[in-house]
Structures are given as C-alpha cells and as structure tokens.
Amino acid sequence: MASRTGQKLLKFDRKLGARLVAGTDEAGRGSLAGPLVVAGVLLDYGCLRDHKVRPLGFLNDSKQCSAERREELVRVIPHGAIDRNGLHKSNLAAMREILHALSPPAEACLVDGFRLGPTAPAHQAIVDGDEKSAAIAAASIVAKVTRDRVMRRMDALFPHYGFSSHVGYITPGHSKIVRERGPSRIHRRSFQALCYRSEEELAALSA
C-alpha cells in the first residue's frame, strides 16, 4: 500500500492541473567532499496509473527514505518520467539547463527552494519542495542515489576516508581523518570547514 506521504506529494502536483510536471533538486550541497549532483525529473501524470509506477506512491524526501527504498524508487521513476562558480551558482545553472533541456517541455516546472532567475523557463520555487511535490521528491531520489553511487566508487580510489559510509558529508570520523591525512583531491578546498584546521588551530579558536 502506498504511503500517506507519497499520496500527498502526488496530490500536490496533480493540483497544478498539468500533465507534464518537472521537478529539480540536488544532493551534495552541504558535503565536504565529492560532487554536487543536480537532477531533474519530468513526470507524466497521464501514465502514472500504470502498474509500473505504483511504487511512486512511496515517494518521500530522499533523506526520509531508506537506502533500499531509494534504490527501488530510482528504478521505477523513469517509467513515469521523461528522462569555479561556487556551489550555489553551479546549482542554479544546472537546474536552469535541466529545465531548458526537457523534451517535451514541462507544463509546470517546480524547483526546490530557489528562484532560478529570468533566463530559466517559467517555474515555481517551492520551499521544502522535496516534502511537498512528487516531482521534486523524485528528483531528490535520483540525485541522492546517483551521488551515493559515485561516492562508493570514490571509496575504492581513496580508501582511507570512509566515503562509502558518510558519502562525503561531515562526520566526526571524517573530520578526524582529514585532519590526520589532509584532504584528498575530491575534497572541497573552498569549504571553510573546521576539520581542515590542525589540533593547535582548533585549540586556539576555543581558547
């Protein structure tokens, strides 16, 4: 049986009165290492009654889904979908590019949180959109699963940092190993994180 949250997300999109609803979201914006992954999903509400996409009723914000549920959803989302600037600017630029590239064009474009500027297609910025819209939640799942897969591959290249467990986000263990070994080439050097500081610097800051 589909979840109440999933049904609420689908209902939000259907109320827009459009058949083709696009959602965009990102994963990795707040991480210490690894890529920023931006995804766009164009849901075709004309085919969402098909048995292949019933699992979309389990959609939720990717952070609220288990890893197993995310992997299941990332397999079924395509059945209902038509497939140095700084993090924020890069994020907005990628979202604009995704919305421009949609074919066929979306009848309604939803973005998680941010307005994309006048050069983007007509769109709505939805605060906490991954908790309200099925299209945005689907994009958050695709972005999260894609990024996690990349970081698990990075774990094989940089085995000392534990990327397979924290996927590049800041944790006490991640911070400790970065202080001990220094950052890898996939760590964000512009990220002013305390874990880049030595024990002596940290002690001076807390004094």
Side-chain angles (χ1 to χ4, degrees):
M1 181 178 293
S3 72
R4 185 173 299 175
T5 298
Q7 293 298 330
K8 181 183 73 172
L9 297 176
L10 293 165
K11 184 178 180 181
F12 180 94
D13 288 7
R14 286 196 173 103
K15 281 185 174 180
L16 298 171
R19 173 174 174 172
L20 302 176
V21 179
T24 63
D25 201 4
E26 52 74 26
R29 183 181 174 86
S31 71
L32 183 64
L36 173 73
V37 175
V38 181
V41 169
L42 181 60
L43 290 181
D44 182 351
Y45 277 87
C47 74
L48 284 182
R49 294 177 183 82
D50 189 276
H51 70 280
K52 291 180 181 178
V53 294
R54 283 179 188 159
L56 289 179
F58 291 102
L59 277 170
N60 201 343
D61 168 14
S62 62
K63 297 180 287 295
Q64 304 300 320
C65 291
S66 67
E68 294 77 13
R69 179 68 76 193
R70 287 196 297 265
E71 288 288 344
E72 177 188 2
L73 284 165
V74 85
R75 287 193 297 270
V76 301
I77 284 169
H79 291 291
I82 304 170
D83 280 308
R84 316 179 210 301
N85 293 325
L87 275 174
H88 184 62
K89 288 184 179 179
S90 297
N91 184 30
L92 300 189
M95 288 182 172
R96 283 194 294 268
E97 184 176 338
I98 284 169
L99 293 180
H100 277 301
L102 293 173
S103 181
E107 298 168 23
C109 295
L110 306 178
V111 180
D112 186 31
F114 303 104
R115 295 286 302 169
L116 303 182
T119 61
H123 62 283
Q124 296 179 50
I126 309 296
V127 177
D128 296 326
D130 48 8
E131 299 174 7
K132 297 174 181 175
S133 160
I136 295 177
S140 79
I141 295 286
V142 173
K144 173 66 174 167
V145 170
T146 300
R147 189 180 185 283
D148 285 358
R149 288 174 179 173
V150 169
M151 293 308 294
R152 284 194 289 271
R153 289 196 290 271
M154 290 299 100
D155 188 66
L157 297 176
F158 305 97
H160 305 292
Y161 292 94
F163 290 142
S164 63
S165 59
H166 54 65
V167 294
Y169 287 92
I170 298 174
T171 66
H174 188 187
S175 299
K176 182 174 184 291
I177 197 67
V178 170
R179 283 197 296 271
E180 292 173 354
R181 302 184 67 92
S184 74
R185 63 180 173 84
I186 66 167
H187 279 87
R188 298 176 183 172
R189 304 308 174 98
S190 61
F191 202 111
Q192 298 300 311
L194 290 177
C195 63
Y196 286 147
R197 299 178 183 269
S198 68
E199 297 289 351
E200 293 75 17
E201 289 174 315
L202 290 172
L205 285 172
S206 60

